[in-house]
Amino acid sequence: MQHDWAINKQIGKDRTLDKTHALDQFLSQVERRAFKIAKLAVGNHDEALDIVQDSMIGLVQKYANRPADEWTPLFYHILQSRIRDWYRKNKVRTTWMSWLGFRKNGEEEELENALEALPDPHGRDPSQVAANEHSMEDLEVAIQTLPLRQQQAFLLRTWEGLSVADTATAMKCSQGSVKTHYSRAVHTLREALEEHWT
Amino acid sequence: MNENDFLKKVKTQLDEQTEHLGAATLSKLNQSRQAALAQLQPRGHRLKQKWLPASGLVAAVLLTSVFMFRSEEIIPNGEQGIDDIEIIASNDNLELYEQLDFYMWLLEENNSAG
């Protein structure tokens, strides 16, 4: 016969396993989009990965016990905070670098140019690749040139499918602000892209 | 193109981009997810996991030190053993060693007489 504490311990273990499984599923569903959103915001692959990892850890540490349907806005709320933190740090760093007179190394620039000039490893038709990649590049560039708040409102609403209320929670602003940012973003993007896409 | 079609196209293109993130990026995302999920484990268990490699290293260093210390002690014993073997194996007359006191006394007598 099992004691009460042993039964409770087993129930606790089962709950932790269920929670781990649910969080694993949730994070694997959002991780790619979260990475892309972070990369569009900060423009750096490794920094974007770090931001996503911090956000995942933040969600698990702070909100694992909250109902699963709250995880999406909470996760994006953390992601937005991390992106804003990155902007603040980067601004300070850029200011210091410009004061100290640091510039990008010429050799690094040459290497990047050389890598871009390499042929496609999959041997695809260059014109097809160019058309497809141009289309994607145009979209990326257009999204990246949006002001950060418009960019994030647009991605969270259009791509992640968050409601206005959840987007407002994630962005820590009013629903009215979300609507304004979103409609401005859509207007700008349509102007920039529709001509190329039709 | 109306707004809905435009937004659908944007969504499709973004989805396509995430489908081709590359193995290295996907692996990093997976590692990040595992690191996040590890936060759910009890603190004691995480500490155990965290310190296990370090404690293994400490144990290995201790064992190596003990063996080195012991081998230093063993070397003189080994030399002593080798000396014994040399005496036993030599062709010298064992009587010489047995009557060593007598020879020592003889040497002292000679010195005092000289």
Side-chain angles (χ1 to χ4, degrees), chain A residues 1-85:
Chain A
M1 185 181 157
Q2 279 185 307
H3 293 287
D4 284 349
W5 63 266
I7 294 167
N8 287 338
K9 197 177 171 187
Q10 189 56 45
I11 291 170
K13 267 186 186 176
D14 291 346
R15 277 185 189 155
T16 307
L17 280 175
D18 285 347
K19 201 190 298 165
T20 306
H21 183 65
L23 273 164
D24 189 25
Q25 273 196 325
F26 168 75
L27 292 174
S28 56
Q29 276 168 12
V30 294
E31 65 188 12
R32 292 182 187 205
R33 287 193 298 276
F35 166 71
K36 195 71 194 171
I37 287 173
K39 198 183 167 202
L40 284 167
V42 303
N44 180 297
H45 182 272
D46 291 341
E47 302 272 10
L49 280 171
D50 286 347
I51 288 171
V52 173
Q53 177 164 348
D54 283 353
S55 307
M56 286 178 171
I57 290 173
L59 179 84
V60 175
Q61 280 180 337
K62 289 182 185 171
Y63 303 116
N65 290 323
R66 297 283 281 267
D69 59 350
E70 289 182 17
W71 285 343
T72 307
L74 289 170
F75 174 74
Y76 281 106
H77 173 72
I78 300 170
L79 188 80
Q80 297 296 315
S81 300
R82 297 292 182 274
I83 290 171
R84 279 198 298 275
D85 288 347

Coordinates of all heavy atoms in Angstrom, one line a residue, chain A residues 1-85:
Chain A
M1 N 0.8 -1.2 0.0 CA 0.0 0.0 0.0 C 0.9 1.2 0.0 O 1.8 1.4 0.8 CB -0.9 0.0 1.3 CG -1.9 1.1 1.3 SD -2.8 1.0 2.8 CE -3.3 2.7 3.0
Q2 N 0.6 2.2 -0.9 CA 1.4 3.3 -1.0 C 1.0 4.4 0.0 O -0.2 4.5 0.3 CB 1.3 3.9 -2.4 CG 2.2 3.2 -3.4 CD 2.1 4.0 -4.8 OE1 1.0 4.2 -5.3 NE2 3.2 4.3 -5.3
H3 N 2.0 5.1 0.5 CA 1.6 6.2 1.4 C 1.1 7.4 0.6 O 1.4 7.5 -0.6 CB 2.9 6.6 2.2 CG 3.3 5.5 3.2 ND1 2.6 5.3 4.3 CD2 4.4 4.7 3.1 CE1 3.3 4.3 4.9 NE2 4.3 3.9 4.2
D4 N 0.5 8.3 1.3 CA 0.0 9.5 0.7 C 1.1 10.3 0.0 O 0.9 10.8 -1.1 CB -0.8 10.4 1.7 CG -2.1 9.9 2.0 OD1 -2.6 8.9 1.3 OD2 -2.8 10.3 3.0
W5 N 2.2 10.4 0.7 CA 3.3 11.2 0.1 C 3.8 10.6 -1.2 O 4.2 11.3 -2.1 CB 4.4 11.5 1.1 CG 5.1 10.2 1.6 CD1 4.9 9.4 2.7 CD2 6.2 9.6 0.9 NE1 5.7 8.4 2.7 CE2 6.6 8.4 1.6 CE3 6.9 9.9 -0.3 CZ2 7.6 7.6 1.3 CZ3 8.0 9.0 -0.6 CH2 8.3 7.9 0.1
A6 N 3.8 9.3 -1.2 CA 4.3 8.6 -2.4 C 3.4 8.9 -3.6 O 3.8 9.1 -4.7 CB 4.5 7.1 -2.2
I7 N 2.1 8.8 -3.3 CA 1.1 9.0 -4.3 C 1.2 10.5 -4.8 O 1.2 10.7 -6.0 CB -0.3 8.7 -3.8 CG1 -0.5 7.3 -3.5 CG2 -1.4 9.2 -4.8 CD1 -1.7 6.9 -2.7
N8 N 1.3 11.4 -3.9 CA 1.4 12.8 -4.3 C 2.7 13.1 -5.1 O 2.6 13.8 -6.0 CB 1.4 13.7 -3.0 CG 0.1 13.8 -2.4 OD1 -0.9 13.6 -3.0 ND2 0.0 14.1 -1.1
K9 N 3.7 12.4 -4.7 CA 5.0 12.5 -5.4 C 4.8 12.1 -6.9 O 5.3 12.7 -7.8 CB 6.1 11.7 -4.7 CG 7.5 12.1 -5.1 CD 8.5 11.3 -4.3 CE 9.9 11.6 -4.8 NZ 10.9 10.7 -4.2
Q10 N 4.2 10.9 -7.0 CA 3.9 10.4 -8.4 C 3.1 11.3 -9.2 O 3.3 11.6 -10.4 CB 3.3 9.0 -8.3 CG 3.2 8.2 -9.6 CD 4.5 8.1 -10.2 OE1 5.5 7.7 -9.6 NE2 4.6 8.3 -11.5
I11 N 2.0 11.9 -8.6 CA 1.1 12.8 -9.3 C 2.0 14.0 -9.7 O 1.8 14.5 -10.8 CB 0.0 13.2 -8.4 CG1 -1.0 12.0 -8.2 CG2 -0.8 14.4 -9.0 CD1 -2.1 12.3 -7.1
G12 N 2.8 14.5 -8.8 CA 3.7 15.7 -9.1 C 4.6 15.4 -10.3 O 4.7 16.2 -11.2
K13 N 5.1 14.2 -10.3 CA 6.0 13.8 -11.4 C 5.2 13.7 -12.8 O 5.7 14.2 -13.8 CB 6.6 12.4 -11.2 CG 7.9 12.4 -10.5 CD 8.5 11.0 -10.4 CE 9.7 10.9 -9.6 NZ 10.2 9.5 -9.5
D14 N 4.0 13.1 -12.7 CA 3.2 13.1 -13.9 C 2.9 14.4 -14.4 O 2.9 14.7 -15.6 CB 1.9 12.3 -13.6 CG 2.2 10.8 -13.4 OD1 3.3 10.4 -13.7 OD2 1.3 10.1 -12.8
R15 N 2.5 15.3 -13.5 CA 2.2 16.7 -13.9 C 3.3 17.4 -14.6 O 3.2 18.1 -15.6 CB 1.7 17.5 -12.7 CG 0.2 17.3 -12.4 CD -0.2 18.2 -11.3 NE -1.6 17.8 -10.9 CZ -2.0 18.0 -9.6 NH1 -1.3 18.7 -8.8 NH2 -3.3 17.7 -9.3
T16 N 4.5 17.2 -14.0 CA 5.7 17.8 -14.6 C 6.0 17.3 -16.0 O 6.3 18.0 -16.9 CB 7.0 17.5 -13.7 OG1 6.7 17.9 -12.3 CG2 8.2 18.3 -14.1
L17 N 5.8 16.0 -16.1 CA 6.0 15.4 -17.5 C 5.0 15.9 -18.5 O 5.4 16.3 -19.6 CB 5.9 13.8 -17.4 CG 7.1 13.1 -16.9 CD1 6.8 11.6 -16.7 CD2 8.3 13.3 -17.8
D18 N 3.7 16.0 -18.0 CA 2.7 16.6 -18.9 C 3.1 18.0 -19.3 O 2.9 18.4 -20.5 CB 1.3 16.6 -18.2 CG 0.7 15.2 -18.1 OD1 1.2 14.4 -18.9 OD2 -0.2 15.0 -17.4
K19 N 3.5 18.8 -18.3 CA 3.8 20.2 -18.5 C 5.0 20.3 -19.5 O 5.0 21.1 -20.4 CB 4.1 20.9 -17.2 CG 4.0 22.4 -17.3 CD 4.5 23.1 -16.0 CE 3.8 22.7 -14.8 NZ 4.6 23.0 -13.6
T20 N 6.0 19.5 -19.2 CA 7.2 19.5 -20.1 C 6.8 19.2 -21.5 O 7.3 19.8 -22.4 CB 8.2 18.4 -19.6 OG1 8.5 18.6 -18.2 CG2 9.5 18.5 -20.4
H21 N 6.0 18.2 -21.7 CA 5.5 17.8 -23.0 C 4.8 18.9 -23.7 O 5.0 19.2 -24.9 CB 4.7 16.5 -22.9 CG 4.2 16.0 -24.2 ND1 5.1 15.5 -25.2 CD2 3.0 15.9 -24.8 CE1 4.4 15.1 -26.2 NE2 3.2 15.4 -26.1
A22 N 3.9 19.5 -22.9 CA 3.0 20.6 -23.5 C 3.9 21.8 -23.9 O 3.8 22.4 -25.0 CB 2.0 21.0 -22.5
L23 N 4.9 22.1 -23.0 CA 5.8 23.3 -23.3 C 6.7 22.9 -24.5 O 7.0 23.8 -25.3 CB 6.6 23.6 -22.1 CG 6.0 24.6 -21.1 CD1 6.7 24.5 -19.8 CD2 5.9 26.0 -21.7
D24 N 7.1 21.7 -24.6 CA 8.0 21.3 -25.7 C 7.2 21.5 -27.0 O 7.8 22.0 -28.0 CB 8.4 19.8 -25.5 CG 9.4 19.4 -26.5 OD1 10.2 20.2 -27.0 OD2 9.5 18.2 -26.7
Q25 N 6.0 21.0 -27.0 CA 5.2 21.2 -28.2 C 5.0 22.7 -28.6 O 5.1 23.1 -29.7 CB 3.8 20.5 -28.0 CG 3.8 19.0 -28.3 CD 2.4 18.5 -28.5 OE1 1.5 18.9 -27.8 NE2 2.2 17.5 -29.4
F26 N 4.6 23.4 -27.5 CA 4.4 24.9 -27.8 C 5.6 25.5 -28.4 O 5.5 26.2 -29.4 CB 3.9 25.5 -26.5 CG 3.9 27.0 -26.6 CD1 2.9 27.7 -27.3 CD2 5.0 27.8 -26.0 CE1 3.0 29.1 -27.4 CE2 5.0 29.2 -26.2 CZ 4.0 29.8 -26.9
L27 N 6.8 25.3 -27.7 CA 8.0 26.0 -28.1 C 8.4 25.5 -29.5 O 8.9 26.3 -30.3 CB 9.1 25.7 -27.1 CG 8.9 26.4 -25.7 CD1 10.0 26.0 -24.8 CD2 8.9 27.9 -25.9
S28 N 8.2 24.2 -29.8 CA 8.6 23.8 -31.2 C 7.7 24.4 -32.2 O 8.1 24.5 -33.4 CB 8.7 22.3 -31.2 OG 7.5 21.7 -30.9
Q29 N 6.5 24.7 -31.8 CA 5.6 25.4 -32.8 C 5.9 26.8 -33.1 O 5.8 27.3 -34.2 CB 4.1 25.3 -32.3 CG 3.4 24.0 -32.5 CD 2.1 23.9 -31.8 OE1 1.6 24.9 -31.2 NE2 1.5 22.8 -31.7
V30 N 6.4 27.5 -32.1 CA 6.7 28.9 -32.3 C 8.1 29.3 -32.6 O 8.4 30.4 -33.0 CB 6.2 29.8 -31.0 CG1 4.7 29.7 -30.9 CG2 6.9 29.4 -29.8
E31 N 9.0 28.3 -32.3 CA 10.5 28.7 -32.4 C 11.0 29.3 -33.7 O 11.7 30.2 -33.7 CB 11.4 27.5 -31.9 CG 11.3 26.3 -32.8 CD 12.0 25.1 -32.3 OE1 12.4 25.1 -31.1 OE2 12.3 24.2 -33.0
R32 N 10.5 28.7 -34.8 CA 11.0 29.2 -36.1 C 10.5 30.6 -36.4 O 11.2 31.4 -36.9 CB 10.5 28.2 -37.2 CG 11.1 26.9 -37.2 CD 10.7 26.0 -38.3 NE 11.1 24.7 -38.2 CZ 11.3 23.8 -39.2 NH1 11.0 24.2 -40.4 NH2 11.7 22.6 -39.0
R33 N 9.2 30.8 -36.2 CA 8.6 32.1 -36.4 C 9.3 33.1 -35.5 O 9.6 34.3 -35.9 CB 7.1 32.1 -36.3 CG 6.4 31.4 -37.4 CD 4.9 31.7 -37.4 NE 4.3 31.2 -36.2 CZ 3.8 30.0 -36.1 NH1 4.0 29.1 -37.0 NH2 3.2 29.6 -35.0
A34 N 9.5 32.7 -34.2 CA 10.1 33.6 -33.2 C 11.5 34.0 -33.7 O 11.9 35.2 -33.6 CB 10.1 33.0 -31.9
F35 N 12.2 33.0 -34.2 CA 13.6 33.3 -34.7 C 13.5 34.3 -35.8 O 14.3 35.3 -35.9 CB 14.3 32.0 -35.1 CG 15.5 32.2 -35.9 CD1 16.7 32.7 -35.3 CD2 15.5 31.9 -37.3 CE1 17.8 32.9 -36.0 CE2 16.7 32.2 -38.0 CZ 17.8 32.6 -37.4
K36 N 12.6 34.0 -36.7 CA 12.5 34.9 -37.9 C 12.1 36.4 -37.5 O 12.7 37.3 -38.0 CB 11.5 34.3 -38.9 CG 11.5 34.9 -40.3 CD 12.8 34.5 -41.0 CE 13.0 35.3 -42.3 NZ 14.2 35.1 -42.9
I37 N 11.2 36.4 -36.6 CA 10.8 37.8 -36.1 C 11.9 38.5 -35.5 O 12.2 39.7 -35.7 CB 9.6 37.6 -35.1 CG1 8.3 37.2 -35.9 CG2 9.3 38.9 -34.4 CD1 7.1 36.9 -35.0
A38 N 12.7 37.8 -34.6 CA 13.8 38.4 -34.0 C 14.9 38.8 -35.0 O 15.5 39.8 -34.9 CB 14.4 37.4 -32.9
K39 N 15.1 37.9 -36.0 CA 16.1 38.2 -37.0 C 15.7 39.4 -37.8 O 16.6 40.3 -38.2 CB 16.4 37.0 -37.9 CG 17.7 37.1 -38.6 CD 17.9 35.9 -39.5 CE 19.1 36.3 -40.4 NZ 19.1 35.5 -41.7
L40 N 14.5 39.5 -38.2 CA 14.0 40.7 -38.9 C 14.2 42.0 -38.1 O 14.5 43.0 -38.6 CB 12.5 40.5 -39.3 CG 12.3 39.6 -40.5 CD1 10.8 39.3 -40.6 CD2 12.8 40.2 -41.8
A41 N 14.0 41.8 -36.8 CA 14.1 43.0 -35.9 C 15.6 43.4 -35.7 O 15.9 44.6 -35.8 CB 13.5 42.7 -34.6
V42 N 16.5 42.4 -35.5 CA 17.9 42.8 -35.1 C 18.8 42.6 -36.3 O 20.0 43.2 -36.2 CB 18.4 42.0 -33.9 CG1 17.5 42.2 -32.7 CG2 18.5 40.5 -34.1
G43 N 18.4 41.9 -37.3 CA 19.3 41.8 -38.5 C 20.6 41.0 -38.3 O 21.5 41.1 -39.0
N44 N 20.6 40.1 -37.2 CA 21.8 39.3 -37.0 C 21.3 37.9 -36.5 O 20.6 37.8 -35.6 CB 22.6 40.0 -35.9 CG 23.9 39.2 -35.5 OD1 23.8 38.1 -35.1 ND2 25.0 39.8 -35.8
H45 N 21.9 36.9 -37.2 CA 21.5 35.5 -37.0 C 21.7 35.1 -35.6 O 20.8 34.6 -34.9 CB 22.3 34.7 -38.0 CG 22.0 33.2 -38.0 ND1 22.6 32.4 -37.1 CD2 21.1 32.5 -38.7 CE1 22.1 31.1 -37.3 NE2 21.2 31.2 -38.2
D46 N 23.0 35.2 -35.1 CA 23.3 34.7 -33.8 C 22.6 35.5 -32.6 O 22.2 34.9 -31.7 CB 24.9 34.8 -33.6 CG 25.6 33.8 -34.5 OD1 24.9 32.9 -34.9 OD2 26.8 34.0 -34.7
E47 N 22.5 36.8 -32.8 CA 21.8 37.6 -31.8 C 20.4 37.1 -31.7 O 19.8 37.1 -30.7 CB 21.9 39.1 -32.2 CG 23.3 39.6 -32.3 CD 23.9 40.1 -31.0 OE1 23.3 39.8 -29.9 OE2 25.0 40.7 -31.0
A48 N 19.8 36.9 -32.9 CA 18.4 36.4 -32.9 C 18.2 35.1 -32.2 O 17.3 34.9 -31.4 CB 17.9 36.3 -34.4
L49 N 19.2 34.2 -32.4 CA 19.1 32.9 -31.7 C 19.2 33.1 -30.2 O 18.5 32.4 -29.4 CB 20.2 32.0 -32.2 CG 20.0 31.3 -33.5 CD1 21.3 30.6 -33.9 CD2 18.9 30.2 -33.4
D50 N 20.1 34.0 -29.8 CA 20.2 34.2 -28.3 C 18.9 34.8 -27.8 O 18.5 34.4 -26.7 CB 21.4 35.2 -28.1 CG 22.7 34.6 -28.2 OD1 22.8 33.4 -28.3 OD2 23.7 35.3 -28.3
I51 N 18.3 35.7 -28.5 CA 17.1 36.3 -28.0 C 16.0 35.3 -27.9 O 15.2 35.3 -26.9 CB 16.6 37.5 -29.0 CG1 17.6 38.7 -28.9 CG2 15.2 37.9 -28.8 CD1 17.4 39.7 -29.9
V52 N 15.9 34.4 -28.9 CA 14.9 33.3 -28.8 C 15.1 32.4 -27.6 O 14.2 32.1 -26.8 CB 14.8 32.5 -30.1 CG1 13.9 31.3 -30.0 CG2 14.4 33.4 -31.3
Q53 N 16.4 32.0 -27.4 CA 16.7 31.2 -26.2 C 16.3 31.9 -24.9 O 15.7 31.2 -24.0 CB 18.2 30.8 -26.2 CG 18.5 30.0 -25.0 CD 19.8 29.2 -25.1 OE1 20.4 29.2 -26.1 NE2 20.3 28.7 -24.0
D54 N 16.7 33.1 -24.8 CA 16.3 33.9 -23.5 C 14.8 33.9 -23.3 O 14.3 33.8 -22.2 CB 16.9 35.3 -23.6 CG 18.4 35.4 -23.4 OD1 18.9 34.4 -23.0 OD2 18.9 36.5 -23.5
S55 N 14.1 34.1 -24.4 CA 12.7 34.2 -24.3 C 12.1 32.8 -23.9 O 11.1 32.8 -23.1 CB 12.0 34.6 -25.7 OG 12.6 35.7 -26.2
M56 N 12.6 31.7 -24.5 CA 12.1 30.4 -24.1 C 12.3 30.1 -22.6 O 11.4 29.7 -21.9 CB 12.9 29.3 -24.9 CG 12.4 29.2 -26.4 SD 13.4 28.0 -27.2 CE 12.6 27.8 -28.7
I57 N 13.6 30.4 -22.2 CA 13.9 30.2 -20.8 C 13.0 31.1 -19.9 O 12.5 30.6 -18.9 CB 15.4 30.5 -20.5 CG1 16.2 29.4 -21.2 CG2 15.7 30.5 -19.0 CD1 17.7 29.6 -21.2
G58 N 12.8 32.3 -20.3 CA 12.0 33.3 -19.5 C 10.6 32.7 -19.4 O 10.0 32.8 -18.3
L59 N 10.0 32.2 -20.5 CA 8.6 31.7 -20.4 C 8.6 30.5 -19.4 O 7.6 30.5 -18.6 CB 8.2 31.2 -21.8 CG 6.8 30.6 -21.9 CD1 5.8 31.8 -22.0 CD2 6.6 29.7 -23.0
V60 N 9.5 29.6 -19.6 CA 9.5 28.4 -18.7 C 9.6 28.8 -17.3 O 8.9 28.2 -16.4 CB 10.5 27.3 -19.2 CG1 10.6 26.2 -18.2 CG2 10.2 26.9 -20.6
Q61 N 10.6 29.7 -17.0 CA 10.9 30.0 -15.6 C 9.7 30.8 -15.0 O 9.4 30.5 -13.8 CB 12.1 30.9 -15.6 CG 13.4 30.2 -15.6 CD 14.6 31.1 -15.6 OE1 14.5 32.3 -15.9 NE2 15.7 30.5 -15.2
K62 N 9.1 31.7 -15.7 CA 8.1 32.6 -15.1 C 6.6 32.1 -15.3 O 5.8 32.3 -14.5 CB 8.2 34.0 -15.7 CG 9.4 34.7 -15.2 CD 9.4 36.1 -15.8 CE 10.7 36.8 -15.5 NZ 10.8 38.1 -16.2
Y63 N 6.3 31.5 -16.5 CA 4.9 31.3 -16.8 C 4.6 29.8 -17.1 O 3.5 29.6 -17.7 CB 4.6 32.1 -18.0 CG 4.8 33.6 -17.8 CD1 5.7 34.3 -18.6 CD2 4.1 34.3 -16.8 CE1 6.0 35.7 -18.4 CE2 4.3 35.7 -16.6 CZ 5.3 36.3 -17.4 OH 5.5 37.7 -17.2
A64 N 5.4 28.9 -16.7 CA 5.1 27.5 -17.0 C 3.8 27.0 -16.4 O 3.1 26.2 -16.9 CB 6.3 26.6 -16.6
N65 N 3.5 27.6 -15.2 CA 2.3 27.2 -14.5 C 1.0 27.9 -15.0 O -0.1 27.6 -14.6 CB 2.4 27.5 -13.0 CG 3.5 26.5 -12.4 OD1 3.5 25.3 -12.8 ND2 4.3 27.0 -11.5
R66 N 1.2 28.8 -15.9 CA 0.0 29.5 -16.4 C -0.7 28.6 -17.5 O -0.1 27.8 -18.1 CB 0.4 30.9 -17.1 CG 1.0 31.8 -16.1 CD 0.0 32.5 -15.2 NE -0.7 33.6 -15.9 CZ -0.3 34.9 -15.9 NH1 0.8 35.2 -15.2 NH2 -0.9 35.8 -16.5
P67 N -2.0 28.9 -17.7 CA -2.8 28.0 -18.7 C -2.1 28.1 -20.1 O -1.6 29.2 -20.4 CB -4.2 28.7 -18.7 CG -4.3 29.4 -17.5 CD -2.9 29.8 -17.0
A68 N -2.1 27.0 -20.8 CA -1.4 26.9 -22.1 C -1.9 28.0 -23.1 O -1.1 28.4 -23.9 CB -1.5 25.5 -22.6
D69 N -3.2 28.3 -23.0 CA -3.6 29.3 -24.0 C -3.1 30.7 -23.8 O -3.3 31.6 -24.6 CB -5.2 29.3 -24.1 CG -5.8 29.6 -22.8 OD1 -5.1 29.6 -21.8 OD2 -7.1 29.8 -22.8
E70 N -2.4 30.9 -22.6 CA -1.8 32.2 -22.3 C -0.4 32.3 -22.8 O 0.2 33.4 -22.8 CB -1.9 32.5 -20.8 CG -3.3 32.8 -20.4 CD -3.3 33.2 -18.9 OE1 -2.3 33.5 -18.3 OE2 -4.4 33.1 -18.3
W71 N 0.2 31.1 -23.1 CA 1.6 31.1 -23.4 C 2.0 31.9 -24.6 O 3.0 32.6 -24.6 CB 2.1 29.6 -23.6 CG 2.2 28.8 -22.4 CD1 2.2 29.3 -21.1 CD2 2.2 27.4 -22.3 NE1 2.3 28.3 -20.2 CE2 2.3 27.1 -20.9 CE3 2.2 26.4 -23.2 CZ2 2.3 25.8 -20.4 CZ3 2.2 25.1 -22.7 CH2 2.3 24.8 -21.3
T72 N 1.2 31.9 -25.7 CA 1.6 32.6 -26.9 C 1.8 34.1 -26.7 O 2.9 34.6 -26.9 CB 0.5 32.4 -28.0 OG1 0.3 31.0 -28.2 CG2 1.0 33.0 -29.3
P73 N 0.8 34.9 -26.1 CA 1.0 36.3 -25.9 C 2.1 36.5 -24.9 O 2.9 37.5 -25.0 CB -0.3 36.8 -25.4 CG -1.1 35.7 -25.0 CD -0.6 34.5 -25.8
L74 N 2.2 35.6 -23.9 CA 3.3 35.8 -22.9 C 4.7 35.6 -23.5 O 5.6 36.4 -23.2 CB 3.1 34.8 -21.7 CG 1.9 35.1 -20.8 CD1 1.7 34.0 -19.8 CD2 2.2 36.4 -20.0
F75 N 4.8 34.6 -24.3 CA 6.1 34.3 -25.0 C 6.5 35.5 -25.9 O 7.6 36.0 -25.8 CB 6.0 33.0 -25.8 CG 7.2 32.8 -26.6 CD1 8.4 32.3 -26.0 CD2 7.2 33.0 -28.0 CE1 9.5 32.1 -26.8 CE2 8.4 32.8 -28.7 CZ 9.5 32.3 -28.1
Y76 N 5.5 36.0 -26.6 CA 5.9 37.1 -27.5 C 6.1 38.4 -26.7 O 6.8 39.3 -27.2 CB 4.8 37.3 -28.6 CG 5.0 36.3 -29.7 CD1 4.2 35.2 -29.9 CD2 6.1 36.4 -30.6 CE1 4.5 34.2 -30.8 CE2 6.4 35.4 -31.5 CZ 5.5 34.4 -31.7 OH 5.8 33.4 -32.6
H77 N 5.5 38.5 -25.6 CA 5.7 39.6 -24.7 C 7.2 39.6 -24.3 O 7.9 40.6 -24.3 CB 4.8 39.6 -23.5 CG 5.1 40.6 -22.4 ND1 4.8 41.9 -22.6 CD2 5.7 40.5 -21.2 CE1 5.2 42.6 -21.6 NE2 5.8 41.8 -20.7
I78 N 7.7 38.4 -23.9 CA 9.1 38.3 -23.5 C 10.0 38.6 -24.7 O 11.0 39.3 -24.6 CB 9.4 36.9 -22.9 CG1 8.5 36.6 -21.7 CG2 10.8 36.7 -22.5 CD1 8.5 35.2 -21.2
L79 N 9.6 38.0 -25.8 CA 10.5 38.2 -27.0 C 10.6 39.7 -27.4 O 11.7 40.2 -27.7 CB 9.8 37.4 -28.2 CG 10.7 37.4 -29.5 CD1 11.7 36.3 -29.4 CD2 9.8 37.1 -30.7
Q80 N 9.4 40.4 -27.3 CA 9.5 41.8 -27.6 C 10.4 42.6 -26.6 O 11.1 43.5 -27.0 CB 8.0 42.4 -27.5 CG 7.1 41.9 -28.5 CD 7.5 42.2 -29.9 OE1 7.8 43.3 -30.2 NE2 7.4 41.2 -30.8
S81 N 10.3 42.2 -25.3 CA 11.2 42.8 -24.3 C 12.6 42.6 -24.6 O 13.4 43.5 -24.5 CB 10.9 42.2 -22.9 OG 9.6 42.4 -22.5
R82 N 13.0 41.3 -25.0 CA 14.3 41.0 -25.3 C 14.8 41.8 -26.5 O 16.0 42.3 -26.6 CB 14.5 39.5 -25.6 CG 14.2 38.6 -24.4 CD 15.2 38.8 -23.3 NE 15.0 37.9 -22.2 CZ 14.1 38.1 -21.2 NH1 13.5 39.3 -21.1 NH2 14.0 37.3 -20.2
I83 N 13.9 42.0 -27.5 CA 14.3 42.7 -28.7 C 14.6 44.2 -28.3 O 15.5 44.8 -28.8 CB 13.2 42.6 -29.8 CG1 13.2 41.2 -30.4 CG2 13.4 43.6 -30.9 CD1 12.0 40.9 -31.3
R84 N 13.7 44.7 -27.5 CA 13.9 46.1 -27.1 C 15.2 46.3 -26.3 O 15.9 47.2 -26.5 CB 12.7 46.6 -26.2 CG 11.5 47.0 -27.0 CD 10.5 47.8 -26.2 NE 10.0 47.1 -25.1 CZ 8.9 46.3 -25.1 NH1 8.3 46.1 -26.3 NH2 8.5 45.6 -24.1
D85 N 15.4 45.3 -25.4 CA 16.7 45.3 -24.6 C 17.9 45.3 -25.6 O 18.9 46.1 -25.4 CB 16.8 44.1 -23.7 CG 15.9 44.2 -22.5 OD1 15.3 45.2 -22.3 OD2 15.7 43.1 -21.9

